Amino acid sequence: MGEQRADDPMVRWHLAQIRPNSFQVAERNLRRQGFSVFAPTLAQTARRRGRPVAEQRPLFPGYLFVGFDPDTAPFRAINGTYGVSRLVSFGEGAPAEVPQPIVMGLMARCDAGARLIPPKVLQPGTEVQLIGGPFADFVATVESMAPDQRVWVLLECMGQRARVAVKVEALRER
């Protein structure tokens, strides 16, 4: 079986639980068997010998996404793969499938190396257009950013300025 492409519509995504400290081993062995693997990582700062060090950590510790077509792929071999504990399933049936939009959405937020791209930080004074919600298509000015990725914007509505909090995903820079 040749490696399947992640964007192939026949590939369905499943979760594999990984053995402790076997993340890279499991990923390598699954790829060798021809399975598509998606393991998003997140940049975090850790302390090593008292100094801060930037490193990539799994977004979902202990799990990675495995893509295959359950009708044609020998997916039962995944449970016997070195580094993999088991495929996540509910009951005795086939492995549980992760909805395609969830995995595709995660992939869209990652770079080619599966590293999560941090959301864009908007500077105060930047002119933006709201692309969702009740104020869609309104033009506003960024006032400030909250730590939880909410943006406070000032928008002109009925001759008055209103201060509104919106998610950064609901904004487009003009």
Side-chain angles (χ1 to χ4, degrees):
M1 171 178 125
E3 181 160 350
Q4 298 176 345
R5 292 180 27 171
D7 58 356
D8 181 352
M10 296 305 292
V11 172
R12 296 192 204 126
W13 292 96
H14 304 80
L15 270 179
Q17 186 177 17
I18 306 304
R19 294 187 185 280
N21 302 318
S22 298
F23 191 80
Q24 292 166 334
V25 171
E27 184 177 9
R28 183 179 58 240
N29 287 324
L30 287 167
R31 286 189 197 281
R32 282 183 183 163
Q33 293 177 52
F35 293 105
S36 294
V37 176
F38 177 56
T41 59
L42 178 65
Q44 289 184 334
T45 304
R47 288 204 163 278
R48 300 277 183 255
R49 296 183 183 173
R51 296 179 185 225
V53 176
E55 59 187 22
Q56 293 291 322
R57 294 270 176 100
L59 185 60
F60 304 107
Y63 296 91
L64 55 78
F65 295 97
V66 181
F68 57 87
D69 178 4
D71 298 329
T72 60
F75 68 87
R76 295 194 194 304
I78 294 172
N79 287 333
T81 300
Y82 190 70
V84 175
S85 178
R86 67 184 181 92
L87 267 174
V88 175
S89 62
F90 301 107
E92 297 294 319
E97 191 173 324
V98 179
Q100 191 86 357
I102 291 174
V103 178
M104 292 299 129
L106 276 169
M107 286 181 171
R109 293 200 51 211
C110 292
D111 64 10
R115 291 179 296 271
L116 195 65
I117 300 168
K120 183 170 47 172
V121 177
L122 297 168
Q123 299 299 322
T126 305
E127 199 170 86
V128 292
Q129 181 176 5
L130 283 80
I131 56 174
F135 299 108
D137 297 327
F138 274 70
V139 176
T141 305
V142 174
E143 183 188 58
S144 64
M145 292 276 298
D148 60 356
Q149 291 303 311
R150 260 191 267 155
V151 182
W152 286 96
V153 296
L154 296 172
L155 63 100
E156 191 98 14
C157 184
M158 297 190 306
Q160 301 226 348
R161 291 195 114 184
R163 185 174 186 246
V164 180
V166 295
K167 291 184 178 182
V168 73
E169 296 88 25
L171 298 173
R172 178 176 50 223
E173 208 169 335
R174 282 182 48 110

